[in-house]
Amino acid sequence: MLIDITTFCVSAVLLWFGASWIVNSAALIARKYNVSELVIGLTIVAMGTSAPEFLVTFNAALRGHNDISLSNVVGSNIFNLGFILGLMAMIRPLVASRTVVYRDGLLLLATTACILLVSFTGELGRVFGGALVALLVGYLVFLGMRRESPGEAELEELKGRTASWRDVVLLVLGFGAITAGGHLMVSAATSIAEDFGVSSWVIGVTIVAAGTSLPELVTCLAASVKGKNEMLLGNLIGSDFFNFAGVLGLTCLIKPLTVSPEAGSGLIVLVGMVGLVLIMLRTGWRVTRLEGALLVGINLLRWVNDFTA
């Protein structure tokens, strides 16, 4: 048990540092070769922060642990909207915009609802995975045409820096770290589930999801400390959309996922969470400290229910 827990913690650290190294070094290298900030934000930064979710989800799918594969994405999205968004609102109320609510928020709600509906068939297949990836590509093209970048907040810390040979080394090390971290996390999570006598779905939707969401948590805390809370809502909602359209879509495109009954209930909770957040954002165009505490409370109650059910 102690070895499994230690292995899980090590894997979380590898995913955390690996994602950070990939995002920062790749962005600096791209900038050195005159790749625009917009393209960097739309591709390298946005997808780099989703690398932990993808490696864990894809690794689990290849090894036949479909519950961990799907629960990681579902759990990460619930964790983002419940714990991270709620915690940030408790620190400082989050101001919303019409674009975040009516465009990005409704797109996330529609995508989540579609995944829930398709899950009732018992499988998320290659055709559906391809549709999710196509939706992501279309979204990126749309943002590119409007000159918008979902990765703006993460690029702040890179201003004034130029790429060197160290960034090439860090890029390679970053990919190695998330590859090793993804493998170790799936192995440790499976063993922990067996030791506690709970399902792989429960471990995946709680502990694994929290572990792969570390990059988002750290990024949001840094933005909050710098007083840039106006960027947090777009980043968290965008991250959830990337997890579904990019991570889950690409995984299903490569290897179809069988959906367990537990997955259906988790997706229903997520649809409700997205809807609740949108209602909070629309009423008063902000998430207050009290509403943030409610979101954190819901996330904690869901964890307790998952482990005791």
Side-chain angles (χ1 to χ4, degrees):
M1 172 67 76
L2 181 59
I3 293 176
D4 290 333
I5 294 176
T6 302
T7 300
F8 184 90
C9 291
V10 170
S11 68
V13 172
L14 287 173
L15 291 173
W16 178 6
F17 280 103
S20 177
W21 291 339
I22 289 174
V23 169
N24 291 344
S25 59
L28 287 171
I29 293 170
R31 182 184 296 161
K32 182 177 180 179
Y33 290 98
N34 297 320
V35 177
S36 71
E37 293 282 327
L38 176 67
V39 173
I40 295 172
L42 289 175
T43 55
I44 297 169
V45 176
M47 296 179 185
T49 54
S50 293
E53 283 89 347
F54 176 71
L55 262 295
V56 171
T57 298
F58 183 59
N59 193 297
L62 287 182
R63 296 166 66 178
H65 301 302
N66 284 357
D67 273 353
I68 289 181
S69 188
L70 182 56
S71 64
N72 172 47
V73 178
V74 174
S76 291
N77 282 6
I78 295 177
F79 190 80
N80 285 347
L81 294 180
F83 185 79
I84 298 180
L85 189 150
L87 181 61
M88 295 306 104
M90 290 174 66
I91 295 174
R92 184 177 300 169
L94 303 176
V95 179
S97 68
R98 290 182 177 273
T99 300
V100 168
V101 175
Y102 290 128
R103 187 192 69 192
D104 302 325
L106 290 180
L107 176 62
L108 175 61
L109 180 61
T111 303
T112 308
C114 284
I115 293 173
L116 173 62
L117 291 175
V118 175
S119 72
F120 290 138
T121 66
E123 183 182 78
L124 301 179
R126 288 190 172 90
V127 173
F128 185 63
L132 288 176
V133 173
L135 178 62
L136 174 60
V137 172
Y139 177 67
L140 293 178
V141 171
F142 173 77
L143 291 181
M145 292 175 64
R146 293 177 61 88
R147 304 295 298 172
E148 296 179 38
S149 172
E152 181 180 356
E154 290 92 340
L155 288 173
E156 287 277 322
E157 62 189 84
L158 303 182
K159 294 190 181 301
R161 292 179 54 191
T162 56
S164 68
W165 64 269
R166 294 184 181 85
D167 293 300
V168 177
V169 175
L170 285 177
L171 182 63
V172 175
L173 289 177
F175 279 110
I178 62 171
T179 301
H183 178 80
L184 289 175
M185 185 168 282
V186 172
S187 298
T190 304
S191 297
I192 291 172
E194 294 174 351
D195 292 337
F196 277 105
V198 297
S199 68
S200 297
W201 170 268
V202 171
I203 294 296
V205 82
T206 53
I207 300 174
V208 175
T212 55
S213 293
L214 281 176
E216 286 88 349
L217 176 58
V218 174
T219 297
C220 287
L221 282 173
S224 180
V225 169
K226 295 175 183 178
K228 299 188 178 297
N229 275 30
E230 69 276 5
M231 297 178 180
L232 296 182
L233 283 173
N235 285 345
L236 286 174
I237 291 177
S239 176
D240 276 17
F241 177 71
F242 270 89
N243 284 346
F244 268 152
V247 174
L248 185 61
L250 192 56
T251 300
C252 293
L253 188 60
I254 297 173
K255 190 179 188 300
L257 296 178
T258 302
V259 182
S260 67
E262 290 176 296
S265 62
L267 284 167
I268 291 173
V269 170
L270 182 54
V271 171
M273 181 71 77
V274 175
L276 177 60
V277 169
L278 290 180
I279 291 173
M280 288 179 175
L281 293 176
R282 182 60 186 83
T283 54
W285 298 103
R286 66 170 52 218
V287 180
T288 65
R289 287 188 172 90
L290 182 59
E291 290 171 334
L294 176 61
L295 290 174
V296 172
I298 292 174
N299 192 82
L300 294 176
L301 285 175
R302 182 188 62 83
W303 274 37
V304 173
N305 179 69
D306 285 333
F307 276 103
T308 58

